[in-house]
Amino acid sequence: MPDPQQPWYTPGAPQQPVPGNPYASDGATVQGHGAPPLPGGGGGTPPGRRRFGRGPVVAAVVALVLVVVAGGVYAATDWGRSEPAKPVAKKSPGPSASAPPSSAPPAGGPELSHIPTTEEVAAARKPGEAAAWIADDRTDIPKQINKVHDLWIVGDTAVQALYRKVTAYRLSDGAEVWSVTLPSAVCETPANPTPDGKVVVFRHERPDNERSNLCNQMQLIDLKTGKQGWSQKLDEPGDEDDTFIVESAISGDVLSVARGQRTVTYRMGDGSRLYKVPSEKKGACFPDDVAGGTARLMVSYSCMVSMDRSKNYGQVRELDPRTGKVLWRYRTKTGWSFGSLISMDPVVFTVYNNEDTAKDWRITVLDPGGKHRVTFDARGKGFEECAGTGSGGGIQPCRGASVGKGLIMLGGQNQVGAYDVKTGKFLWGIKDNRMRTLYPLRAEDGNAMLIYEAAGPSTPGRTFLMGPRGAGTETNIVKHPAATSRWEYEMSMGHTAYVDGRLVLTPTHVSGDEDHKPVREARMLSFAPGSP
């Protein structure tokens, strides 16, 4: 637990090193994750799966508040104290909330009228700042909000799909290694590829951008080379309108696909169908989503047994991916449903109250046999489900939450904290009143937590290590460069990958309307110690 006599994080205070910190050095080093997801195309919402989150209006309001706070007073408080926080530091006045976005570059940075090249970023780099690369993609995309799909790390590349294009960028310098252009827009991707780097992407049936366009074309891609494999139409035993919304997962060499009230599995090798996951109770309990990423397959069920939502419930099951055999099943309390999966091993997920889907949620932990271990409420510390993104857009991933080394780590706006995975007891954490998003990246031997602090509207982010005594035990690991701060800020609460000391950031959505954006959105951004 944090020392009650020790103040919580005070910006600008001297940093106390974490004992045994493997990253400690004489100077600042680098590494480090970050606009909330906007609703994607049309198609509606499948029964039993809620979808909520901060829309573009709320995001704009938050951004406006951030500008104000960045130029005002900020403070940090100790969780558990009842007295109000005292101002502890002041920053120089920033732009007024009504002022238009500045066209001036960050100190020492390149012009904002274009996305800077990696060379320009390197030239503007200041002593102690991280090395960084930035990737641009000038592919013509529709003048709308376009979804940026799951981020995959395969070998020495970061791969992602946007609109009709799947692109691999080299981790060391951000150079494009290969790209594949598909005949229609990608509409769904699984969170993880196979162990040997293959994935199946789903694309729309037609090349147009109309709302009635079905998401029913499957395409295998080898992410190591960009080579395309088998391609086929999604099996549709029934109303094909169920393919407006599709969710998928890969478990070893098995692909699982959920849409509407049915789930079907396929062999990754050739696309042949394996089995259909059955419904129960004469169709009242139906499999509505899937999760993978390892050799394990999890299937969530919605059980709509009554018109009264307080009488419905959810299930989660682990299946043998190859045979469909149920290894175990867990049922939520009546009136509650399965939310988002935080971890496959151990199994940790959120549940939510059917009568208050936006605010009333919990975290549940199961033992290896699927038996209930603990359920706890993180709302008392101010945490939001999946760092405020809710459990929309599929049950995997749950952004801003992770599990490792006996800790359940939660992040979000202004705070980050750790809970014991066995007891659900809150252990330690920090609150920061500067309106910053804090994301846990990973646990360090159970004694410390590596955390990404997203950029503000005028200041770059950072990556730091925090020990189990909470505030005051911070050690800066990476000081992100000022030259990329505006683009880092645009990616706040986006996709994040942390691998071998390198942080990779991408947005979750980008706009194709170049005429009405103050800053062009970068495609990908990465930080690492030393030279890029």
Side-chain angles (χ1 to χ4, degrees):
M1 293 289 292
D3 185 342
Q5 301 303 314
Q6 180 167 333
W8 286 50
Y9 169 45
T10 302
Q15 304 302 318
Q16 301 178 18
V18 177
N21 173 20
Y23 302 100
S25 64
D26 294 334
T29 54
V30 183
Q31 38 274 32
H33 192 248
L38 305 178
T45 302
R49 177 62 57 201
R50 62 177 177 157
R51 296 178 181 274
F52 64 87
R54 300 183 185 127
V57 175
V58 177
V61 173
V62 170
L64 192 62
V65 173
L66 283 167
V67 172
V68 177
V69 173
V73 178
Y74 52 82
T77 59
D78 187 348
W79 291 355
R81 293 180 181 174
S82 57
E83 67 269 25
K86 297 178 181 180
V88 294
K90 285 191 176 184
K91 301 194 75 166
S92 58
S96 67
S98 59
S102 173
S103 60
E111 292 291 333
L112 290 179
S113 59
H114 75 290
I115 294 176
T117 64
T118 297
E119 290 74 20
E120 288 174 316
V121 170
R125 181 182 175 194
K126 298 178 180 179
E129 289 185 338
W133 57 256
I134 190 167
D136 190 8
D137 185 353
R138 295 182 175 272
T139 302
D140 189 27
I141 58 177
K143 290 190 174 184
Q144 62 180 33
I145 300 299
N146 297 275
K147 182 176 181 178
V148 181
H149 294 274
D150 294 280
L151 174 61
W152 304 302
I153 303 297
V154 179
D156 62 351
T157 61
V159 190
Q160 203 169 39
L162 169 62
Y163 188 44
R164 299 182 184 181
K165 188 178 178 183
V166 182
T167 309
Y169 299 93
R170 192 159 53 219
L171 285 173
S172 60
D173 58 9
E176 183 176 310
V177 178
W178 58 259
S179 66
V180 172
T181 299
L182 301 172
S184 57
V186 174
C187 46
E188 161 62 10
T189 58
N192 300 278
T194 63
D196 63 349
K198 294 183 176 64
V199 76
V200 170
V201 302
F202 294 77
R203 61 178 179 83
H204 285 300
E205 186 174 43
R206 303 190 309 271
D208 63 61
N209 203 34
E210 297 299 322
R211 294 176 65 90
S212 61
N213 208 343
L214 301 177
C215 182
N216 62 5
Q217 303 296 310
M218 300 192 290
Q219 174 65 64
L220 178 76
I221 299 177
D222 186 333
L223 300 181
K224 299 188 299 298
T225 64
K227 183 179 179 181
Q228 299 181 58
W230 58 262
S231 177
Q232 66 187 48
K233 186 176 181 179
L234 180 62
D235 182 32
E236 296 170 347
D239 185 1
E240 69 174 19
D241 285 349
D242 282 343
T243 57
F244 279 126
I245 301 291
V246 172
E247 308 292 353
S248 64
I250 292 175
S251 306
D253 60 353
V254 173
L255 170 69
S256 303
V257 185
R259 78 269 191 214
Q261 300 183 9
R262 58 176 64 90
T263 294
V264 179
T265 62
Y266 303 85
R267 288 187 180 89
M268 284 292 296
D270 57 10
S272 60
R273 178 171 166 170
L274 287 172
Y275 56 87
K276 178 182 177 181
V277 178
S279 299
E280 279 191 353
K281 298 183 182 298
K282 297 181 180 180
C285 288
F286 53 86
D288 64 351
D289 215 330
V290 288
T294 64
R296 306 177 73 177
L297 169 59
M298 303 287 179
V299 180
S300 66
Y301 276 70
S302 291
C303 296
M304 305 178 70
V305 299
S306 172
M307 294 297 292
D308 183 351
R309 288 181 295 178
S310 67
K311 295 181 180 180
N312 296 328
Y313 58 91
Q315 286 186 23
V316 60
R317 304 178 187 181
E318 180 177 2
L319 306 185
D320 181 306
R322 291 177 177 267
T323 66
K325 178 183 177 181
V326 178
L327 303 179
W328 53 258
R329 70 184 70 197
Y330 172 80
R331 177 189 151 162
T332 68
K333 291 171 53 178
T334 299
W336 291 72
S337 293
F338 186 92
S340 291
L341 186 72
I342 298 175
S343 169
M344 292 285 281
D345 186 17
V347 177
V348 182
F349 55 90
T350 68
V351 293
Y352 62 88
N353 188 328
N354 294 337
E355 295 188 293
D356 187 359
T357 63
K359 296 181 179 180
D360 196 1
W361 66 282
R362 305 287 188 275
I363 292 178
T364 291
V365 183
L366 305 183
D367 69 16
K371 301 295 184 183
H372 181 266
R373 175 178 283 171
V374 65
T375 294
F376 64 92
D377 189 349
R379 296 176 303 159
K381 295 297 183 185
F383 289 107
E384 296 181 85
E385 186 182 11
C386 302
T389 63
S391 64
I395 62 175
Q396 189 184 32
C398 180
R399 289 201 298 277
S402 60
V403 176
K405 300 185 183 297
L407 301 178
I408 298 174
M409 298 164 284
L410 305 180
Q413 188 168 286
N414 300 336
Q415 61 193 61
V416 65
Y419 290 79
D420 187 286
V421 74
K422 293 183 179 179
T423 66
K425 180 182 179 181
F426 178 76
L427 299 175
W428 38 272
I430 57 173
K431 279 195 173 183
D432 177 359
N433 293 343
R434 294 181 302 158
M435 297 291 284
R436 290 295 187 94
T437 300
L438 300 172
Y439 273 172
L441 294 174
R442 70 182 187 192
E444 298 286 347
D445 298 324
N447 294 316
M449 185 161 48
L450 196 62
I451 300 165
Y452 168 57
E453 178 182 309
S458 59
T459 54
R462 64 171 180 148
T463 305
F464 64 93
L465 196 68
M466 182 179 70
R469 289 172 63 85
T473 64
E474 300 168 74
T475 300
N476 277 333
I477 304 303
V478 177
K479 180 183 178 182
H480 298 180
T484 58
S485 62
R486 287 291 297 271
W487 292 273
E488 183 184 358
Y489 176 60
E490 290 290 324
M491 294 180 183
S492 180
M493 292 185 68
H495 298 291
T496 304
Y498 184 80
V499 55
D500 296 332
R502 174 175 293 279
L503 178 67
V504 181
L505 309 176
T506 82
T508 57
H509 294 76
V510 295
S511 172
D513 190 353
E514 297 288 346
D515 298 329
H516 296 88
K517 293 188 298 184
V519 180
R520 284 193 59 241
E521 295 157 299
R523 188 66 181 77
M524 197 173 287
L525 184 59
S526 181
F527 308 104
S531 299

